[in-house]
Amino acid sequence: MMTSDPQLIKNILIKDFNIFRNTRPALLTPSDHPIYRYVIDNTGDDCWLRMRSVIRTLFTDQKLRAMAKNIDNNLVDLTNALDRLLVDQSTTGVDIRQLFVNQSIDLMGSVMFSWKPNSFNEPNNKITRLMKRLFFPSKWRILANLVLPKFMLQVLNMSNIISTEALDVFAKLTVDEYSKRQTSVSTDTYEDFFQSLLNRCPEFMGESSDNKTVGQSEMSKIDQMMSKDEVVANMFSLFQGGFDGHSLSMTFIIYELAINPECQQKVYEEIMTCYRDRDSDNSSNNRTTIDGQLFDWESLVKLDYLDACISEAMRLHAAVNRDGRVANQDYTDATTGVTIEKDQVIQFSRSAVQRSADYYPMPDQFIPDRFLKHNRHQLIDSAYLPFGLGRRMCPGYRFGLMAIKLTMAHLLMRYKFLKLNNNQTVFKTNPIVEHYTYCPEMLLLKIEKRTVN
């Protein structure tokens, strides 16, 4: 069953969540990679609740603030790479999509594992090559999964869109990093998501994970733990979600601002005003560096129009289109009267809701003003689902928005993004890949350097 009714969606995801706690069950087979068995999205009930309680600890205010240095270093690498591209920029423009792919690999590598892929300067390093294998599966593999029956995919060793070999390499790298840290004298130097999960892994901490009778306080502690296999699997899930979310969102936001230059200019003016009025307290640790000067996090909260542009771009371009839940009992929705039987899957299309004229006037136009504070009362919250809704929504959405906002502020202060000289953009997609994810292969734009005073 498919629905695009915001009220029904809200009831399923929030009001009647206990009936629709679980997502569509993963049809795993013995040939599927073990990673898929432990990923939080493929779990349900108590297992999902336990993993969720652990993963949520990665995104506290304190942890997010600790990521400032990682993001700051990443933005320096990004702008250095852009400066080099501007020197060599031809009439064909700069591929913005590839730019943000490299940035996302470096950013996720840093915040997840403290890795330094250096994708801009070393595009063929092993981490960058692996991530592109994982997150850009071949078109033929996608096509095979769309048209071939399950038994045939098993025969061809193509049961999953992502190749088993690439998943094996990721798992080995993660286990190697696990072993290195387990034998390290001190892990205090690691301020990344991997270490945060390892601190909740009994095997890593040298605690027994055998089943035994425990007291209530010990049970509460166990409910906040993950096994080694679960840590490895969910590091993959977090890396994939962070990579896709950041690289695609940045591509779409810059695209919309390039074809709507009046909006881009308005964002630029807002950023510059905020930049000039920034807090002069140099002792604050919660800031990013721009041209050697300070831009604190508190100032970024004031960028209302930038927020609106980000929200509107994410409304227009749903990177992950479908979501769904399965009923654990017969259900009749009190508002709409829709009946859903036990074990029936109900799905909803984010793009269908977010581009509906019933909820957004002129739905195909880029109109950031609809997300400004004085207009938000006109919006239906369950008709905007870029991160999902309710208890199963993306646990890292605050980190994702923080990284996007910082990247946008950093870039728009320095650069102007324009259509090509022929007043066109090259936005290349592949119809086969679009069945898997809405992922442009290329976005060519012209870039001009601004002067920051």
Side-chain angles (χ1 to χ4, degrees):
M1 178 185 292
M2 179 75 74
T3 183
S4 58
D5 184 331
Q7 186 58 56
L8 179 57
I9 292 172
K10 184 175 183 177
N11 290 346
I12 289 171
L13 297 184
I14 298 178
K15 179 175 177 290
D16 299 312
F17 172 80
N18 287 333
I19 298 174
F20 297 93
R21 173 184 284 194
N22 297 330
T23 58
R24 181 176 183 175
L27 303 177
L28 299 176
T29 68
S31 64
D32 288 314
H33 198 280
I35 274 182
Y36 291 117
R37 300 186 180 279
Y38 299 103
V39 168
I40 186 172
D41 287 341
N42 290 340
T43 64
D45 298 322
D46 293 341
C47 184
W48 164 78
L49 191 61
R50 173 177 55 80
M51 289 191 188
R52 173 180 175 268
S53 69
V54 176
I55 291 175
R56 284 182 65 189
T57 65
L58 304 181
F59 303 105
T60 62
D61 288 345
Q62 182 180 1
K63 294 284 180 65
L64 293 181
R65 290 175 184 273
M67 292 295 118
K69 184 177 180 181
N70 301 72
I71 298 176
D72 185 58
N73 292 337
N74 175 263
L75 292 175
V76 171
D77 292 340
L78 173 63
T79 53
N80 287 341
L82 249 180
D83 286 343
R84 291 193 299 272
L85 285 172
L86 290 184
V87 174
D88 302 327
Q89 185 175 202
S90 64
T91 55
T92 58
V94 173
D95 187 352
I96 297 298
R97 172 61 176 149
Q98 188 57 50
L99 182 78
F100 291 127
V101 164
N102 288 336
Q103 186 217 0
S104 296
I105 291 174
D106 286 359
L107 177 59
M108 293 305 124
S110 175
V111 300
M112 297 290 173
F113 291 101
S114 297
W115 290 341
K116 302 184 186 306
N118 196 16
S119 301
F120 292 113
N121 298 319
E122 301 176 24
N124 292 318
N125 75 79
K126 68 176 183 179
I127 300 295
T128 301
R129 285 188 286 108
L130 171 62
M131 296 310 157
K132 290 182 178 180
R133 285 181 65 195
L134 287 170
F135 306 137
F136 294 94
S138 73
K139 301 176 184 66
W140 302 115
R141 198 174 190 94
I142 296 172
L143 183 61
N145 272 264
L146 288 171
V147 302
L148 295 181
K150 192 74 174 178
F151 79 89
M152 183 66 72
L153 292 172
Q154 293 177 21
V155 171
L156 297 173
N157 192 26
M158 298 178 71
S159 296
N160 302 119
I161 290 178
I162 299 175
S163 75
T164 299
E165 294 78 9
L167 287 170
D168 283 340
V169 175
F170 181 90
K172 184 179 185 305
L173 281 173
T174 307
V175 171
D176 288 347
E177 185 70 25
Y178 175 100
S179 300
K180 182 181 78 172
R181 299 190 187 193
Q182 196 170 40
T183 57
S184 176
V185 175
S186 172
T187 58
D188 293 342
T189 57
Y190 296 106
E191 294 185 351
D192 54 33
F193 293 152
F194 188 46
Q195 189 60 49
S196 294
L197 289 187
L198 292 181
N199 292 340
R200 293 179 176 270
C201 176
E203 296 147 277
F204 180 82
M205 302 301 291
E207 302 172 12
S208 173
S209 59
D210 297 336
N211 292 326
K212 58 183 180 181
T213 303
V214 296
Q216 188 65 37
S217 62
E218 290 173 297
M219 281 300 297
S220 177
K221 182 179 178 182
I222 289 173
D223 288 342
Q224 299 288 324
M225 294 295 180
M226 270 190 182
S227 71
K228 178 181 176 181
D229 289 336
E230 290 170 345
V231 169
V232 172
N234 284 286
M235 284 306 298
F236 167 73
S237 178
L238 289 166
F239 206 120
Q240 182 181 39
F243 169 83
D244 283 341
H246 188 81
S247 64
L248 288 172
S249 296
M250 285 302 309
T251 301
F252 293 135
I253 296 164
I254 291 295
Y255 168 73
E256 289 295 342
L257 291 180
I259 63 175
N260 295 278
E262 69 287 351
C263 295
Q264 182 176 171
Q265 181 62 24
K266 192 171 179 179
V267 175
Y268 170 72
E269 292 171 359
E270 180 186 60
I271 291 171
M272 292 307 298
T273 298
C274 188
Y275 173 65
R276 296 186 182 107
D277 295 342
R278 67 196 181 281
D279 189 351
S280 60
D281 181 7
N282 293 348
S283 64
S284 172
N285 291 321
N286 305 317
R287 57 185 177 254
T288 186
T289 303
I290 297 182
D291 288 337
Q293 298 174 334
L294 303 176
F295 206 131
D296 59 43
W297 298 100
E298 288 72 17
S299 296
L300 289 173
V301 175
K302 302 174 185 177
L303 299 176
D304 294 332
Y305 194 71
L306 174 59
D307 270 337
C309 287
I310 292 171
S311 297
E312 179 69 345
M314 296 178 81
R315 178 192 71 81
L316 283 168
H317 305 280
V320 178
N321 187 23
R322 289 192 179 185
D323 200 353
R325 298 290 185 270
V326 57
N328 60 26
Q329 65 182 57
D330 291 342
Y331 171 80
T332 300
D333 182 61
T335 306
T336 63
V338 171
T339 298
I340 303 169
E341 297 179 355
K342 180 181 179 180
D343 296 328
Q344 185 176 4
V345 175
I346 181 165
Q347 298 187 71
F348 33 92
S349 167
R350 292 174 178 172
S351 60
V353 177
Q354 293 176 181
R355 282 182 175 254
S356 171
D358 292 337
Y359 320 120
Y360 296 98
M362 297 181 287
D364 295 327
Q365 294 188 26
F366 183 75
I367 309 175
D369 285 36
R370 50 176 126 230
F371 284 97
L372 291 176
K373 290 179 181 178
H374 61 273
N375 291 327
R376 278 186 175 269
H377 68 280
Q378 303 176 32
L379 300 177
I380 301 174
D381 55 0
S382 52
Y384 180 69
L385 304 164
F387 297 103
L389 197 66
R391 295 175 69 185
R392 266 197 179 263
M393 74 182 296
C394 172
Y397 78 96
R398 291 175 64 231
F399 170 77
L401 287 174
M402 178 182 72
I404 288 171
K405 197 167 184 179
L406 285 171
T407 303
M408 289 298 300
H410 213 74
L411 290 181
L412 292 180
M413 286 188 69
R414 288 182 167 91
Y415 310 102
K416 183 184 294 186
F417 297 87
L418 308 163
K419 297 178 182 179
L420 300 177
N421 292 335
N422 58 3
N423 203 34
Q424 297 293 317
T425 62
V426 177
F427 193 91
K428 182 181 178 183
T429 61
N430 186 287
I432 295 176
V433 175
E434 285 185 358
H435 283 281
Y436 171 57
T437 182
Y438 181 35
C439 175
E441 292 184 333
M442 178 187 294
L443 170 60
L444 296 181
L445 296 175
K446 180 181 177 182
I447 304 177
E448 292 182 357
K449 188 76 177 281
R450 297 183 190 268
T451 301
V452 180
N453 299 318

